[in-house]
């Protein structure tokens, strides 16, 4: 699942304080162009009595309220009074521009009067671009990934109503002959659609809504017109560069909504680089803050790859594992048992390749209006191939598909169901066909006082499961009692605990020495402990392999310094067969005790969030030793322990996931 988390309230307040100019409904402070001083009394004509900041705010809100109510003349009167005392009030100029556009559209029957009103609107909107960064007039930059909320408040129905009206007005304007080639009109149309698309992203979960695409088209048209004006000489190179920077900034915000963090980071970094030689403007400050937030979320909660679809954004996740192994008992040869004819020896090297991909859809109560807290549905497929150079009869090829659903009716309680189909070939011959259904009930435990939005809040997880497996063995048999086709049932539970983070285990190594923590975010890894139990009841067409069994298992993973981790797992199984064995010369029932131990050492080459061009990429190198010991009560007339064997597998794997 995707982890979505929001900045805590104190942080939002701090950001809002730094970026108070983001919302004209919050601040109407006057802004001067970079490097300019306000005109002195001797240089300017008589001006109305200056207003206090509080009075400006009251007057601005009154003008906006009149605009929203459709009282354009009243709104014009109020806002013209405001900008007369504060010419650089970007919010006032912006809404006056919209009002003049609206009035011009209402008087298209009088072309001369309409043109005058459109020209007045152009003057107002052009002034907004000239005197301030586009971030200074009313808009909210909302990151749906939960990494930042810029502005004083979340998007509201009231704010969206204003944006919708602005978009309708601007769209009608650029559809007119006078507005068709106005780059400023197209620019602000893109801004209005950007604001609408941000609301669509929050409500529907679509990465690219219709308004998102309209915003992209409007910005593209604005740049085409800017290039034309530059070629005509009506637009200076400096003005063009400044205008292009603002377009790039908004394209960066659109990329954030599309969950293209890498693209967004590149665009915003371009904005920062363009302004490196001059004074730091607000748009540069905003871009730098957004880059830091994007870096943080890419590192701590990398988002999976997504794909837009008619049913909403689909998550795409996959893996590739390449390994080389040495197996001391490929054919599971029993103790004191002769090699089968044609098999040169029981040990062999093995090359392995495993791949898989999952496509899923994640829905939430808030965004998708579902019953319960969340719903996760998906499908996937995988293949596994293992080849032996000498014992080719035991080459293994497995093809699988799956479908699953996981529902969270209340917070941290999950009910799921998964269906798996697998087809296995041994050598080049069909071996097993399996249909398996697994319902699961899971509970996530969290540390007291910590929210589920905190990535480090999970204390542990409990899973209860049942599995029904309908298997069809496709190999040839010489006795019907050896027919293993049948129903395989199992039920059990598993428990995991997150015990301690690496930064608390290896305090000296991960101590901050002024350059930040070592080894990317390895200090956040948890030492985990797990254990579980499974009961099995297997009933087949023949009776040689009917059994009931019990398995207990446990393991621990310990994060080590220098991007290493060590893991150990142990598993113990007791199987009791219910019929006398065909192979026991005494005719006794078979009883097995199986021990399995796994030791692993993993080195992280690249962790999730570390590669900015693919946030979810993880590349690891793992060495492992697997020991298996099976003791059985059965031996045949030649004193061969056909079901007792020892096996060791030494492996080296490259693990790639995305």
């Amino acid at each position: 699942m995707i982890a979505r988390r929001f900045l805590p309230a104190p942080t939002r307040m701090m950001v809002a304080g730094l970026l108070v100019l983001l919302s004209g409904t919050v601040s109407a402070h006057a802004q001067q162009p970079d490097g300019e001083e306000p005109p002195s009394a001797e240089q300017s004509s008589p001006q109305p009595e200056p207003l206090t900041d509080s009075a400006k705010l009251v007057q601005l809100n009154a003008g906006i309220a009149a605009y929203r109510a459709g009282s354009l003349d009243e709104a014009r009167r109020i806002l013209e009074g405001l900008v007369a005392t504060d010419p650089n009030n970007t919010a006032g100029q912006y809404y006056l521009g919209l009002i003049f556009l609206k009035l011009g559209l209402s008087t298209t029957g009088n072309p001369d009067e309409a043109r005058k009103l459109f020209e007045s609107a152009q003057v107002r909107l052009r002034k907004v671009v000239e005197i301030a960064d586009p971030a200074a007039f009313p808009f909210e930059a909302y990151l749906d990934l939960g990494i930042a909320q810029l502005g004083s408040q979340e998007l509201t129905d009231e704010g969206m109503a204003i944006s919708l009206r602005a978009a309708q007005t601007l769209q009608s304007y650029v559809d007119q002959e006078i507005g068709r080639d106005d780059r400023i009109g197209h620019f602000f149309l893109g801004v209005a659609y950007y604001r609408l698309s941000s609301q669509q992203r929050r409500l529907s979960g679509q990465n690219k809504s219709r308004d998102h695409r309209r915003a992209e088209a409007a910005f593209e048209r604005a740049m085409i017109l800017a290039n034309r004006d530059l070629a005509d000489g009506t637009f200076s190179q400096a003005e063009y560069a400044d205008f292009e920077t603002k377009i790039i900034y908004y394209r960066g915000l659109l990329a954030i909504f599309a969950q293209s963090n890498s693209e967004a980071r590149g665009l915003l970094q371009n904005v920062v680089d363009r302004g490196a030689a001059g004074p730091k403007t607000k748009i540069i400050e905003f871009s730098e803050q957004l880059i830091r937030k994007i870096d943080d979320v890419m590192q701590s909660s990398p988002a999976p790859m997504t794909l837009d679809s008619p049913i909403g954004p689909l998550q795409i996740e996959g893996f590739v594992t390449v390994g080389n192994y040495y197996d001391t008992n490929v054919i599971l040869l029993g103790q004191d048992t002769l090699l089968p004819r044609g098999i040169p020896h029981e040990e062999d090297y093995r090359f392995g390749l495993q791949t898989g991909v999952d496509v899923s859809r994640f829905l939430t109560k808030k965004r998708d209006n579902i019953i319960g807290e969340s719903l996760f549905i998906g499908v996937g497929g995988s293949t596994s191939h293992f080849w032996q150079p000498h014992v080719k009869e035991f080459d293994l090829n497995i093809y699988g598909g799956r479908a699953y659903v996981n529902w969270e009716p209340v917070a941290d309680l999950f009910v799921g169901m998964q269906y798996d189909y697998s087809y296995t070939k041994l050598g080049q011959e069909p071996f097993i066909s399996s249909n398996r259904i697994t319902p699961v009930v899971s509970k996530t435990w969290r540390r007291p006082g910590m929210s589920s939005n905190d990535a480090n809040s999970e204390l542990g997880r409990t899973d209860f499961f049942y599995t029904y497996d309908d298997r069809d063995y496709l190999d040839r048999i010489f006795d019907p009692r050896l027919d293993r086709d049948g129903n395989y049932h199992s039920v059990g539970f598993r428990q995991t605990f997150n015990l301690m983070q690496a930064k608390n285990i290896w305090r000296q190594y991960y101590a901050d020495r002024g350059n930040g923590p070592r080894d990317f975010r390895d200090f956040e890894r948890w030492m985990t402990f797990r254990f579980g139990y499974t009961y099995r009841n297997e009933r087949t067409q023949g009776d040689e392999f009917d059994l009931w069994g019990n398995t207990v298992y446990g393991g621990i993973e310990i994060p080590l310094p220098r991007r290493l981790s060590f893991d150990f797992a142990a598993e113990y199984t007791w199987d009791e067969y219910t019929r006398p064995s065909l192979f026991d010369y005494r005719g006794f029932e078979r009883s097995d005790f199986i021990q399995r131990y796994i030791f692993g050492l993993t080195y992280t080459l690249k962790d999730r969030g570390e590669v900015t061009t693919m946030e979810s990429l993880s590349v690891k190198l793992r060495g492992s030793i697997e020991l298996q010991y099976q003791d059985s009560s059965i031996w045949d007339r030649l004193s061969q322990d056909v079901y007792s064997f020892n096996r060791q597998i030494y492996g080296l794997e490259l693990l790639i996931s995305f």
Side-chain angles (χ1 to χ4, degrees), residues 176-219:
Q176 302 290 321
E177 182 178 354
I178 190 173
R180 190 170 298 123
D181 294 332
D182 183 0
R183 65 176 182 274
I184 300 298
H186 285 281
F187 170 76
F188 279 107
L189 178 62
V191 172
Y193 279 133
Y194 152 74
R195 298 186 71 228
L196 290 172
S197 71
S198 64
Q199 179 75 339
Q200 287 291 327
R201 176 68 181 88
R202 188 178 69 169
L203 293 178
S204 69
Q206 287 187 323
N207 289 347
K208 289 190 176 182
S209 64
R210 180 181 60 180
D211 291 326
H212 185 112
R213 291 187 286 271
R214 286 174 171 174
E216 291 178 323
F219 289 135

Side-chain angles (χ1 to χ4, degrees), residues 38-74:
S40 64
E42 294 79 14
Q43 294 172 324
S44 59
S45 57
Q47 298 290 326
E49 186 70 23
L51 298 174
T52 64
D53 288 346
S54 297
K56 293 176 186 176
L57 179 60
V58 171
Q59 194 165 348
L60 174 65
N61 286 336
I64 294 174
Y67 166 76
R68 290 193 65 236
S71 302
L72 299 185
D73 291 334
E74 176 69 8

Side-chain angles (χ1 to χ4, degrees), residues 18 57 114 225 288 362 379 381-382 392 561 618 647:
L18 290 172
L57 179 60
L225 294 172
E288 289 175 339
F362 179 71
V379 295
S382 60
K392 296 183 180 296
S618 172
R647 185 187 197 187

Side-chain angles (χ1 to χ4, degrees), residues 445-461:
W445 308 95
R446 302 196 181 276
R447 286 172 169 75
M450 298 186 72
S451 166
S452 60
N453 292 325
D454 191 326
N456 296 320
S457 67
E458 189 170 322
L459 176 64
R461 184 183 179 99

Side-chain angles (χ1 to χ4, degrees), residues 362-628:
F362 179 71
L363 302 96
T364 64
K365 178 180 180 179
K366 179 179 179 181
R367 188 183 63 203
D368 304 291
N369 197 30
I370 63 170
I371 299 174
E373 298 296 319
S374 69
L375 181 66
F376 188 67
I377 55 177
V379 295
S382 60
T383 63
S384 300
H385 306 277
F386 298 95
W387 301 278
Q388 278 86 209
H390 301 105
V391 190
K392 296 183 180 296
E393 293 83 355
F394 283 80
D395 287 351
L396 200 61
N397 298 276
I398 305 173
Y399 308 89
R402 55 189 167 272
Y404 46 87
V405 59
N406 200 26
W407 178 47
E408 184 183 9
V410 296
D412 294 330
L413 179 65
F414 302 88
V415 179
M417 177 77 75
Q418 178 162 323
Y419 165 74
D420 294 270
Y421 172 78
S422 65
Y423 176 76
T424 303
K425 296 177 69 176
L426 186 62
Q428 296 302 318
E429 299 295 328
F431 185 44
I432 306 175
S433 174
S434 169
N435 292 272
R436 186 170 66 249
I437 297 176
T438 306
V440 181
V441 177
S442 303
K443 168 64 178 175
T444 297
W445 308 95
R446 302 196 181 276
R447 286 172 169 75
M450 298 186 72
S451 166
S452 60
N453 292 325
D454 191 326
N456 296 320
S457 67
E458 189 170 322
L459 176 64
R461 184 183 179 99
T462 305
D463 301 294
F464 293 94
F465 62 88
Y466 164 74
T467 297
Y468 169 75
D469 189 355
D470 181 14
R471 295 186 201 171
D472 183 9
Y473 281 81
L474 308 173
D475 56 338
R476 292 186 295 272
I477 58 175
F478 63 86
D479 190 307
R481 288 174 293 178
L482 300 178
D483 189 349
R484 289 173 287 179
D485 295 352
N487 301 319
Y488 292 70
H489 304 267
S490 62
V491 62
F493 79 92
R494 51 182 169 262
Q495 176 68 54
T496 62
F497 291 105
N498 292 329
L499 301 178
M500 186 179 298
Q501 286 184 290
K503 62 184 177 182
N504 296 320
I505 302 174
W506 316 104
R507 294 178 183 273
Q508 186 63 29
Y509 180 82
Y510 288 111
D512 191 337
R513 294 173 173 80
N515 298 317
R518 287 183 173 182
D519 301 330
F520 192 54
R521 304 187 72 89
D522 274 14
F523 66 96
E524 292 185 339
R525 294 175 299 160
W526 286 92
M527 178 173 68
T528 60
F529 173 71
R530 62 188 180 278
F531 65 90
Y533 166 77
T534 301
Y535 169 78
R536 301 180 355 266
N537 190 334
E538 302 177 359
R539 292 295 177 262
T540 63
Q541 297 293 330
D543 56 18
E544 175 69 20
F545 299 102
D546 288 354
L547 64 85
W548 54 267
N550 297 273
T551 300
V552 295
Y553 53 90
I556 190 168
E557 183 173 353
I558 303 173
L560 302 175
R562 302 189 183 278
R563 305 171 74 95
L564 292 166
S565 65
F566 170 79
D567 62 89
F568 168 73
E571 181 181 292
Y572 303 95
T573 297
W574 295 265
D575 285 341
E576 296 292 339
Y577 291 76
T578 60
R579 296 289 188 274
S581 174
L582 180 65
F583 298 99
D584 188 79
Y585 85 99
R586 300 162 300 176
F588 286 180
E589 294 178 3
R590 177 180 163 188
S591 177
D592 292 351
F593 174 55
I594 306 167
Q595 304 173 67
R596 187 164 172 254
Y597 306 96
I598 300 176
F599 303 84
L601 186 65
T602 303
Y603 175 69
T604 300
L605 298 169
K606 291 294 181 181
D607 205 358
R608 290 170 57 87
E610 194 169 0
V611 180
T612 56
T613 53
M614 185 181 285
E615 304 167 36
S616 59
L617 179 66
S618 172
V619 183
K620 298 181 179 181
L621 188 64
R622 172 180 165 80
S624 62
I625 300 174
E626 179 179 341
L627 309 177
Q628 184 174 344

Side-chain angles (χ1 to χ4, degrees), residues 212-313:
H212 185 112
R213 291 187 286 271
R214 286 174 171 174
E216 291 178 323
F219 289 135
E220 182 178 0
R221 176 63 179 166
M223 281 307 304
I224 291 173
L225 294 172
N227 280 285
R228 186 206 62 180
D229 293 346
L230 178 64
D232 291 347
T234 57
F235 206 21
S236 71
Q237 187 65 49
E239 291 173 325
Y240 174 86
D242 182 64
F243 187 76
E244 185 180 32
T245 298
K246 294 175 173 63
I247 295 287
I248 294 172
Y249 175 75
Y250 270 98
R251 283 177 170 163
L253 296 180
L254 286 170
I256 291 172
F257 286 112
Q259 292 190 342
S260 301
N261 282 351
S262 298
E263 179 187 0
R265 194 191 188 288
L267 290 167
L268 295 171
Q269 187 62 54
N270 189 352
V271 172
V272 173
D273 293 342
R274 283 166 167 264
K280 182 177 289 190
T281 62
K282 290 293 182 184
I283 198 171
I284 302 299
E285 291 182 13
F286 297 159
S287 297
E288 289 175 339
Q289 292 184 36
L290 285 170
I291 288 171
R292 288 194 292 271
K293 298 295 182 183
I294 290 172
D295 286 344
D296 179 64
V297 79
M298 287 174 66
Q299 293 174 3
S300 60
S301 301
M305 294 188 297
T306 59
L307 177 69
D308 283 326
S309 77
I311 62 172

